[in-house]
Amino acid sequence: MQDVAENIRERRCKRVVVMAGAGISTPSGIPDFRTCRSPGSGLYDNLQQYDLPYAEAIFEIGFFHRNPNPFFALAKELYPGNYQPNLTHYFVRLLHQKGQLLRMYTQNIDGLERHQVAGVPPEMLVEAHGTFATATCTSCLRKYDGEELRPEVMSGAVPRCPTCKGVVKPDIVFFGEELPLSFFKYLTDFPLADLLIVMGTSLEVEPFASLAGAVRSSVPRLLINRDLVGPFAWGRRPHDVTQLGDVVTGVKELVDALGWTQELDALMAAGNSEKCLISENFKTYISKFSWI
Ligand code: APR
């Protein structure tokens, strides 16, 4: 880890690719899918209420067309706006601000990588499994902004297209659907990368998981995760580095080794004041309707 930190600090690594999964959002309160934290506390372990044939069905496109209700019940829990980014998200933003992030590839649909202060610009982010930020009518293919669906999703209803009454589905990539075209940026990003950082993922879902093997063999790969996963478990390379344990603790150790602690604290303080500002603005807006 010290060597990785020195290479970043001395700017010998200027094209860092980050791969992330649900484990970077559990510190924000969002359950991951297959957690190793404690058997039974992953999202897939807690879907009994939706009467699914098997857990992954909730993200299968064929099941969705037959019965969209379980997905929208879950969407109400996961919809962006209910959670705040954590230190891990701010670290990636800082890497970008220093001009050393080539691209962030995330499997997450919580949208925290789009956060105004902790997030990264759209062109730096590949949301490989889609996003709640936009949606599409499954019948007439009319496009929607994710915010247009919020009232119906938060009320537990299935969003319907006013044009054709078809079900409007968030642009989440379901099992059985194509990945977004942006995913194929990997074809040039990974050969160019001079450091790969993999955080908070089981590396169990393809084709995302195989990206971990797409960097050149001379390129260091740093895993920050509770447990060994993917090629870090069964096919280690000479320059692989693993920091096992809590992701926030691991990232904080890296940030301290980089000497970026003060800058990160300042960025997180800005993010928190942004959150306060938004809530103050919201209170001011609501206060105008004092008669409610
Ligand atoms: N600190 C460190 N590691 C953590 C933490 C944490 N706080 N929380 C979870 N993890 C680790 C888990 O131990 C596990 O190795 O993160 C990983 C999360 O793995 P998954 O739950 O499988 O999530 P992910 O890899 O993102 O799943 C990939 O599966 O169902 C699909 O589309 C879904 O995008 C998702 C994909």
Side-chain angles (χ1 to χ4, degrees):
M1 176 83 116
Q2 293 299 331
D3 294 342
V4 168
E6 186 185 320
N7 283 333
I8 297 173
R9 190 177 55 245
E10 302 307 322
R11 302 187 69 82
R12 289 193 285 269
C13 290
K14 294 191 286 286
R15 297 188 304 276
V16 181
V17 170
V18 173
M19 292 174 66
I24 73 164
S25 293
T26 55
S28 297
I30 304 171
D32 65 8
F33 293 90
R34 306 173 182 83
T35 189
C36 300
R37 177 205 316 270
S38 54
S41 64
L43 185 139
Y44 283 148
D45 298 302
N46 293 283
L47 299 175
Q48 296 77 1
Q49 57 190 306
Y50 302 126
D51 189 26
L52 299 166
Y54 44 88
E56 280 83 350
I58 203 161
F59 286 117
E60 281 194 355
I61 194 63
F63 184 86
F64 177 84
H65 287 317
R66 292 192 300 277
N67 178 9
N69 292 297
F71 169 76
F72 281 110
L74 180 65
K76 182 176 175 182
E77 302 299 318
L78 295 178
Y79 221 68
N82 300 328
Y83 301 95
Q84 293 303 318
N86 62 68
L87 183 141
T88 311
H89 298 93
Y90 283 98
F91 161 67
V92 180
R93 170 61 178 253
L94 194 51
L95 201 56
H96 164 61
Q97 286 184 182
K98 290 196 176 270
Q100 292 173 260
L101 177 71
L102 176 57
R103 200 92 60 196
M104 179 179 198
Y105 287 72
T106 186
Q107 299 167 93
N108 297 342
I109 57 176
D110 54 44
L112 292 179
E113 298 91 346
R114 288 169 172 249
H115 186 268
Q116 196 167 342
V117 180
V120 295
E123 68 276 10
M124 303 301 288
L125 178 63
V126 171
E127 295 167 304
H129 293 173
T131 175
F132 276 116
T134 55
T136 306
C137 173
T138 55
S139 300
C140 70
L141 304 183
R142 178 179 156 182
K143 285 290 184 188
Y144 289 86
D145 184 286
E147 282 309 308
E148 294 178 83
L149 273 60
R150 182 183 293 275
E152 284 171 292
V153 172
M154 300 319 279
S155 70
V158 173
R160 292 272 172 188
C161 173
T163 309
C164 72
K165 305 304 175 215
V167 172
V168 180
K169 171 184 159 299
D171 290 341
I172 304 292
V173 179
F174 277 49
F175 292 114
E177 287 191 303
E178 291 289 322
L179 269 63
L181 285 178
S182 62
F183 175 76
F184 297 94
K185 287 179 182 173
Y186 84 86
L187 292 167
T188 48
D189 286 345
F190 280 71
L192 282 174
D194 52 21
L195 172 63
L196 176 66
I197 300 179
V198 180
M199 304 190 286
T201 176
S202 59
L203 288 181
E204 284 196 14
V205 174
E206 297 295 357
F208 188 92
S210 295
L211 293 185
V215 293
R216 289 166 290 138
S217 55
S218 60
V219 171
R221 301 184 304 184
L222 168 61
L223 172 71
I224 303 179
N225 201 61
R226 181 167 288 119
D227 29 45
L228 283 177
V229 293
F232 295 92
W234 44 259
R236 285 185 74 134
R237 293 179 179 175
H239 302 294
D240 284 352
V241 176
T242 58
Q243 172 73 25
L244 300 184
D246 178 70
V247 68
V248 169
T249 307
V251 170
K252 188 149 184 10
E253 275 196 37
L254 175 58
V255 167
D256 292 345
L258 285 166
W260 292 1
T261 307
Q262 278 192 321
E263 289 170 276
L264 189 72
D265 289 347
L267 192 59
M268 293 184 74
N272 290 332
S273 58
E274 180 74 18
K275 184 175 108 189
C276 300
L277 183 65
I278 291 169
S279 61
E280 284 309 313
N281 288 348
F282 184 67
K283 281 183 201 155
T284 308
Y285 172 73
I286 286 296
S287 67
K288 288 179 187 144
F289 305 99
S290 53
W291 37 270
I292 289 178

Coordinates of all heavy atoms in Angstrom, one line a residue, residues 174-233:
F174 N -30.9 -4.7 -16.3 CA -31.4 -5.9 -15.7 C -30.7 -7.1 -16.3 O -30.1 -7.0 -17.4 CB -33.0 -6.1 -16.0 CG -33.8 -5.3 -15.0 CD1 -33.6 -4.0 -14.8 CD2 -34.9 -5.9 -14.4 CE1 -34.4 -3.3 -13.9 CE2 -35.8 -5.2 -13.6 CZ -35.5 -3.9 -13.3
F175 N -30.7 -8.2 -15.6 CA -30.1 -9.4 -16.1 C -30.9 -9.7 -17.4 O -32.2 -9.7 -17.4 CB -30.3 -10.6 -15.2 CG -29.4 -10.5 -13.9 CD1 -29.9 -10.3 -12.7 CD2 -28.0 -10.5 -14.1 CE1 -29.1 -10.2 -11.6 CE2 -27.2 -10.4 -12.9 CZ -27.8 -10.2 -11.7
G176 N -30.2 -10.0 -18.5 CA -30.9 -10.2 -19.8 C -30.9 -9.0 -20.7 O -31.4 -9.0 -21.8
E177 N -30.4 -7.9 -20.1 CA -30.4 -6.6 -21.0 C -28.9 -6.3 -21.3 O -28.0 -6.8 -20.7 CB -30.9 -5.4 -20.2 CG -32.5 -5.5 -20.1 CD -33.0 -4.1 -19.5 OE1 -32.6 -3.7 -18.4 OE2 -33.8 -3.5 -20.2
E178 N -28.8 -5.5 -22.4 CA -27.4 -5.1 -22.8 C -26.8 -4.1 -21.9 O -27.6 -3.3 -21.3 CB -27.5 -4.4 -24.2 CG -27.9 -5.4 -25.4 CD -26.8 -6.3 -25.7 OE1 -25.6 -5.8 -25.7 OE2 -27.0 -7.5 -26.0
L179 N -25.5 -4.1 -21.7 CA -24.9 -3.1 -20.9 C -24.8 -1.8 -21.7 O -24.9 -1.9 -23.0 CB -23.4 -3.5 -20.5 CG -23.3 -4.2 -19.1 CD1 -24.1 -5.5 -19.1 CD2 -21.9 -4.4 -18.7
P180 N -24.7 -0.6 -21.1 CA -24.7 0.6 -21.8 C -23.4 0.7 -22.7 O -22.4 0.1 -22.4 CB -24.7 1.7 -20.7 CG -24.2 1.0 -19.5 CD -24.6 -0.4 -19.6
L181 N -23.5 1.4 -23.8 CA -22.4 1.6 -24.7 C -21.2 2.1 -24.0 O -20.0 1.8 -24.3 CB -22.8 2.4 -25.9 CG -23.7 1.8 -27.0 CD1 -24.1 2.8 -28.1 CD2 -23.0 0.5 -27.6
S182 N -21.4 3.0 -23.0 CA -20.3 3.6 -22.3 C -19.4 2.5 -21.7 O -18.2 2.7 -21.5 CB -20.8 4.5 -21.2 OG -21.6 3.8 -20.3
F183 N -19.9 1.4 -21.4 CA -19.1 0.3 -20.7 C -17.9 -0.1 -21.6 O -16.9 -0.4 -21.1 CB -20.0 -1.0 -20.5 CG -19.3 -2.2 -20.0 CD1 -18.9 -2.2 -18.7 CD2 -19.0 -3.2 -20.8 CE1 -18.2 -3.4 -18.2 CE2 -18.3 -4.3 -20.4 CZ -17.9 -4.4 -19.0
F184 N -18.1 0.1 -22.9 CA -17.1 -0.4 -23.9 C -15.9 0.6 -24.0 O -15.0 0.4 -24.7 CB -17.7 -0.7 -25.2 CG -18.7 -1.9 -25.1 CD1 -20.0 -1.6 -24.9 CD2 -18.2 -3.2 -25.0 CE1 -20.9 -2.7 -24.6 CE2 -19.1 -4.2 -24.8 CZ -20.5 -4.0 -24.6
K185 N -16.0 1.7 -23.2 CA -14.8 2.6 -23.1 C -13.6 1.8 -22.5 O -12.4 2.1 -22.6 CB -15.1 3.8 -22.1 CG -16.0 4.8 -22.8 CD -16.3 5.9 -21.8 CE -17.2 7.0 -22.4 NZ -17.7 8.0 -21.3
Y186 N -14.0 0.6 -21.8 CA -12.9 -0.2 -21.2 C -11.9 -0.6 -22.2 O -10.7 -0.9 -21.9 CB -13.5 -1.4 -20.4 CG -13.8 -2.6 -21.3 CD1 -12.8 -3.5 -21.5 CD2 -15.1 -2.8 -21.8 CE1 -13.1 -4.6 -22.3 CE2 -15.3 -3.9 -22.6 CZ -14.3 -4.8 -22.8 OH -14.6 -5.9 -23.6
L187 N -12.3 -0.7 -23.5 CA -11.4 -1.3 -24.5 C -10.2 -0.4 -24.7 O -9.1 -0.8 -25.1 CB -12.2 -1.4 -25.8 CG -13.3 -2.5 -25.8 CD1 -14.2 -2.3 -27.0 CD2 -12.7 -3.9 -25.8
T188 N -10.3 0.9 -24.4 CA -9.2 1.8 -24.5 C -8.7 2.2 -23.1 O -7.5 2.4 -22.8 CB -9.5 3.1 -25.2 OG1 -10.7 3.6 -24.7 CG2 -9.7 2.8 -26.7
D189 N -9.6 2.3 -22.1 CA -9.2 2.7 -20.7 C -8.2 1.7 -20.1 O -7.2 2.1 -19.5 CB -10.4 2.9 -19.8 CG -11.2 4.1 -20.2 OD1 -10.7 5.0 -20.9 OD2 -12.4 4.2 -19.7
F190 N -8.6 0.5 -20.1 CA -7.8 -0.5 -19.3 C -6.4 -0.7 -19.8 O -5.5 -0.8 -19.1 CB -8.6 -1.8 -19.1 CG -9.7 -1.7 -18.0 CD1 -10.8 -0.9 -18.2 CD2 -9.5 -2.3 -16.8 CE1 -11.7 -0.8 -17.2 CE2 -10.4 -2.2 -15.8 CZ -11.5 -1.4 -16.0
P191 N -6.2 -0.8 -21.2 CA -4.8 -0.9 -21.6 C -4.0 0.4 -21.3 O -2.8 0.3 -21.2 CB -5.0 -1.0 -23.2 CG -6.4 -1.6 -23.3 CD -7.2 -1.0 -22.2
L192 N -4.7 1.5 -21.1 CA -3.9 2.8 -20.8 C -3.7 2.9 -19.3 O -2.7 3.6 -18.9 CB -4.8 4.0 -21.3 CG -4.8 4.3 -22.8 CD1 -5.8 5.5 -23.0 CD2 -3.4 4.7 -23.2
A193 N -4.5 2.2 -18.5 CA -4.4 2.4 -17.0 C -3.0 2.1 -16.5 O -2.3 1.2 -17.0 CB -5.4 1.5 -16.3
D194 N -2.5 2.9 -15.5 CA -1.2 2.6 -14.9 C -1.4 2.2 -13.4 O -0.4 2.0 -12.7 CB -0.2 3.8 -15.0 CG -0.8 5.1 -14.6 OD1 -1.8 5.1 -13.8 OD2 -0.3 6.2 -15.0
L195 N -2.7 2.2 -13.0 CA -3.0 1.6 -11.7 C -4.5 1.3 -11.7 O -5.3 2.1 -12.2 CB -2.7 2.7 -10.6 CG -3.2 2.3 -9.2 CD1 -2.5 1.1 -8.6 CD2 -3.0 3.5 -8.2
L196 N -4.9 0.1 -11.1 CA -6.3 -0.2 -11.0 C -6.6 -0.3 -9.5 O -5.9 -1.0 -8.7 CB -6.5 -1.6 -11.7 CG -7.9 -2.2 -11.5 CD1 -9.0 -1.3 -12.2 CD2 -8.0 -3.6 -12.1
I197 N -7.7 0.3 -9.1 CA -8.1 0.2 -7.7 C -9.5 -0.4 -7.7 O -10.4 0.1 -8.3 CB -8.2 1.6 -7.0 CG1 -6.8 2.3 -7.0 CG2 -8.7 1.4 -5.6 CD1 -6.8 3.7 -6.3
V198 N -9.7 -1.6 -7.0 CA -10.9 -2.3 -7.0 C -11.5 -2.2 -5.6 O -10.8 -2.5 -4.6 CB -10.7 -3.8 -7.4 CG1 -12.1 -4.5 -7.4 CG2 -10.1 -3.9 -8.8
M199 N -12.7 -1.7 -5.4 CA -13.2 -1.4 -4.1 C -14.7 -2.0 -3.9 O -15.5 -1.7 -4.8 CB -13.3 0.1 -3.8 CG -11.9 0.8 -3.9 SD -12.0 2.4 -3.2 CE -12.9 3.3 -4.5
G200 N -14.9 -2.7 -2.9 CA -16.3 -3.0 -2.5 C -17.1 -3.8 -3.5 O -18.3 -3.6 -3.7
T201 N -16.5 -4.9 -4.0 CA -17.2 -5.7 -5.0 C -16.8 -7.2 -4.8 O -15.6 -7.4 -4.5 CB -17.0 -5.3 -6.4 OG1 -17.7 -6.2 -7.3 CG2 -15.5 -5.2 -6.8
S202 N -17.7 -8.1 -5.1 CA -17.4 -9.5 -5.0 C -16.8 -10.0 -6.3 O -16.4 -11.1 -6.4 CB -18.7 -10.3 -4.7 OG -19.7 -10.0 -5.8
L203 N -16.9 -9.1 -7.3 CA -16.4 -9.5 -8.7 C -17.0 -10.8 -9.1 O -16.3 -11.8 -9.6 CB -14.8 -9.6 -8.7 CG -14.1 -8.3 -8.6 CD1 -12.6 -8.5 -8.7 CD2 -14.5 -7.3 -9.8
E204 N -18.3 -10.9 -8.9 CA -19.0 -12.2 -9.3 C -19.9 -12.0 -10.5 O -20.3 -13.0 -11.1 CB -20.0 -12.6 -8.1 CG -19.2 -13.2 -7.0 CD -20.1 -14.0 -6.0 OE1 -21.3 -14.2 -6.4 OE2 -19.7 -14.3 -4.9
V205 N -20.1 -10.8 -11.0 CA -21.0 -10.6 -12.1 C -20.3 -10.2 -13.3 O -19.5 -9.2 -13.3 CB -22.1 -9.6 -11.7 CG1 -23.0 -9.3 -12.9 CG2 -23.0 -10.1 -10.6
E206 N -20.5 -11.0 -14.4 CA -19.8 -10.7 -15.7 C -20.8 -9.8 -16.5 O -22.0 -9.8 -16.3 CB -19.5 -12.0 -16.4 CG -18.5 -12.9 -15.7 CD -17.1 -12.3 -15.6 OE1 -16.9 -11.2 -16.2 OE2 -16.3 -12.9 -15.0
P207 N -20.2 -9.0 -17.5 CA -18.8 -9.0 -17.9 C -18.0 -8.0 -17.0 O -16.8 -7.9 -17.2 CB -18.8 -8.5 -19.3 CG -20.1 -7.6 -19.4 CD -21.1 -8.3 -18.5
F208 N -18.6 -7.3 -16.0 CA -17.9 -6.3 -15.3 C -16.7 -7.0 -14.6 O -15.6 -6.5 -14.6 CB -18.8 -5.7 -14.2 CG -18.2 -4.6 -13.5 CD1 -18.4 -3.3 -13.9 CD2 -17.5 -4.8 -12.3 CE1 -17.9 -2.2 -13.2 CE2 -16.9 -3.7 -11.6 CZ -17.1 -2.4 -12.1
A209 N -16.9 -8.2 -14.0 CA -15.8 -8.8 -13.1 C -14.5 -9.0 -14.0 O -13.4 -8.8 -13.4 CB -16.3 -10.1 -12.6
S210 N -14.7 -9.3 -15.2 CA -13.5 -9.6 -16.0 C -12.6 -8.4 -16.3 O -11.4 -8.5 -16.7 CB -13.9 -10.3 -17.4 OG -14.5 -11.5 -17.1
L211 N -13.2 -7.2 -16.1 CA -12.4 -6.0 -16.3 C -11.1 -6.0 -15.5 O -10.1 -5.5 -15.8 CB -13.2 -4.8 -16.0 CG -14.4 -4.4 -16.9 CD1 -15.0 -3.1 -16.6 CD2 -14.0 -4.4 -18.4
A212 N -11.2 -6.7 -14.3 CA -10.1 -6.7 -13.4 C -8.8 -7.3 -14.0 O -7.7 -7.0 -13.6 CB -10.4 -7.4 -12.1
G213 N -9.1 -8.2 -15.0 CA -7.9 -8.8 -15.7 C -7.5 -8.1 -17.0 O -6.6 -8.5 -17.7
A214 N -8.2 -6.9 -17.2 CA -7.9 -6.2 -18.5 C -6.8 -5.2 -18.5 O -6.4 -4.7 -19.5 CB -9.2 -5.5 -19.0
V215 N -6.2 -5.0 -17.3 CA -5.1 -4.1 -17.3 C -3.8 -4.9 -17.6 O -3.8 -6.1 -17.5 CB -4.9 -3.4 -15.9 CG1 -6.0 -2.4 -15.6 CG2 -4.8 -4.4 -14.8
R216 N -2.8 -4.2 -18.1 CA -1.5 -4.9 -18.4 C -0.9 -5.6 -17.2 O -1.1 -5.1 -16.1 CB -0.5 -3.8 -19.0 CG -0.9 -3.3 -20.4 CD -0.1 -2.0 -20.8 NE -0.6 -0.9 -20.0 CZ 0.3 0.0 -19.4 NH1 1.6 -0.2 -19.6 NH2 -0.2 1.0 -18.7
S217 N -0.2 -6.7 -17.4 CA 0.3 -7.5 -16.3 C 1.3 -6.7 -15.4 O 1.5 -7.0 -14.3 CB 0.9 -8.8 -16.8 OG 1.9 -8.4 -17.7
S218 N 1.9 -5.6 -16.0 CA 2.9 -4.8 -15.2 C 2.2 -3.8 -14.3 O 2.8 -3.1 -13.5 CB 3.8 -4.1 -16.2 OG 3.0 -3.3 -17.0
V219 N 0.9 -3.6 -14.5 CA 0.1 -2.6 -13.8 C -0.3 -3.0 -12.4 O -0.9 -4.1 -12.3 CB -1.1 -2.1 -14.6 CG1 -2.0 -1.2 -13.8 CG2 -0.6 -1.4 -15.9
P220 N 0.1 -2.3 -11.4 CA -0.4 -2.7 -10.0 C -1.9 -2.7 -9.9 O -2.5 -1.8 -10.5 CB 0.2 -1.6 -9.1 CG 1.3 -0.9 -9.9 CD 0.8 -1.0 -11.4
R221 N -2.4 -3.7 -9.2 CA -3.9 -3.7 -8.9 C -4.0 -3.7 -7.4 O -3.5 -4.5 -6.7 CB -4.5 -5.0 -9.5 CG -4.3 -5.1 -11.0 CD -5.1 -6.3 -11.6 NE -4.7 -7.6 -10.9 CZ -5.1 -8.8 -11.4 NH1 -6.0 -8.9 -12.4 NH2 -4.7 -9.9 -10.8
L222 N -4.8 -2.7 -6.9 CA -5.0 -2.6 -5.4 C -6.5 -3.0 -5.1 O -7.4 -2.3 -5.7 CB -4.8 -1.1 -5.0 CG -5.2 -0.8 -3.5 CD1 -4.5 -1.6 -2.5 CD2 -5.0 0.7 -3.3
L223 N -6.7 -4.0 -4.3 CA -8.0 -4.4 -3.8 C -8.3 -3.8 -2.4 O -7.5 -4.1 -1.5 CB -8.2 -5.9 -3.8 CG -9.5 -6.4 -3.2 CD1 -10.7 -6.2 -4.1 CD2 -9.4 -7.9 -2.9
I224 N -9.3 -3.0 -2.3 CA -9.7 -2.6 -0.9 C -11.1 -3.2 -0.7 O -12.1 -2.7 -1.3 CB -9.7 -1.0 -0.8 CG1 -8.4 -0.5 -1.2 CG2 -10.1 -0.6 0.6 CD1 -8.3 1.1 -1.2
N225 N -11.2 -4.2 0.1 CA -12.4 -5.0 0.2 C -12.4 -5.8 1.5 O -11.3 -6.1 2.0 CB -12.6 -5.9 -1.0 CG -14.0 -6.4 -1.2 OD1 -14.9 -5.6 -1.4 ND2 -14.3 -7.7 -1.1
R226 N -13.6 -6.2 2.0 CA -13.6 -7.0 3.2 C -12.9 -8.4 3.0 O -12.2 -8.9 3.9 CB -15.0 -7.3 3.7 CG -15.1 -8.1 4.9 CD -16.5 -8.0 5.6 NE -16.7 -6.7 6.2 CZ -17.7 -5.9 5.8 NH1 -18.5 -6.3 4.8 NH2 -18.0 -4.8 6.3
D227 N -13.0 -8.9 1.7 CA -12.4 -10.3 1.5 C -11.7 -10.3 0.2 O -12.0 -9.5 -0.7 CB -13.5 -11.3 1.7 CG -14.8 -10.8 1.3 OD1 -14.9 -10.1 0.2 OD2 -15.8 -11.0 2.0
L228 N -10.9 -11.3 0.0 CA -10.3 -11.6 -1.3 C -11.3 -12.0 -2.3 O -12.2 -12.8 -2.0 CB -9.2 -12.7 -1.2 CG -7.9 -12.3 -0.5 CD1 -7.0 -13.6 -0.4 CD2 -7.2 -11.3 -1.3
V229 N -11.3 -11.4 -3.5 CA -12.3 -11.7 -4.5 C -11.7 -11.8 -5.9 O -10.6 -11.3 -6.1 CB -13.4 -10.6 -4.5 CG1 -14.3 -10.6 -3.3 CG2 -12.8 -9.3 -4.8
G230 N -12.4 -12.5 -6.8 CA -11.9 -12.6 -8.2 C -10.5 -13.0 -8.3 O -10.0 -13.8 -7.5
P231 N -9.7 -12.4 -9.2 CA -8.3 -12.8 -9.5 C -7.4 -12.5 -8.3 O -6.3 -13.1 -8.2 CB -7.9 -11.9 -10.7 CG -8.9 -10.8 -10.7 CD -10.1 -11.3 -10.1
F232 N -7.9 -11.7 -7.3 CA -7.0 -11.5 -6.1 C -7.0 -12.7 -5.3 O -6.2 -12.9 -4.4 CB -7.6 -10.3 -5.3 CG -7.5 -9.0 -6.1 CD1 -8.5 -8.5 -6.8 CD2 -6.3 -8.2 -6.0 CE1 -8.4 -7.3 -7.6 CE2 -6.2 -7.0 -6.7 CZ -7.2 -6.6 -7.5
A233 N -8.1 -13.6 -5.5 CA -8.2 -14.8 -4.7 C -7.5 -16.0 -5.5 O -6.8 -16.8 -4.9 CB -9.6 -15.1 -4.4

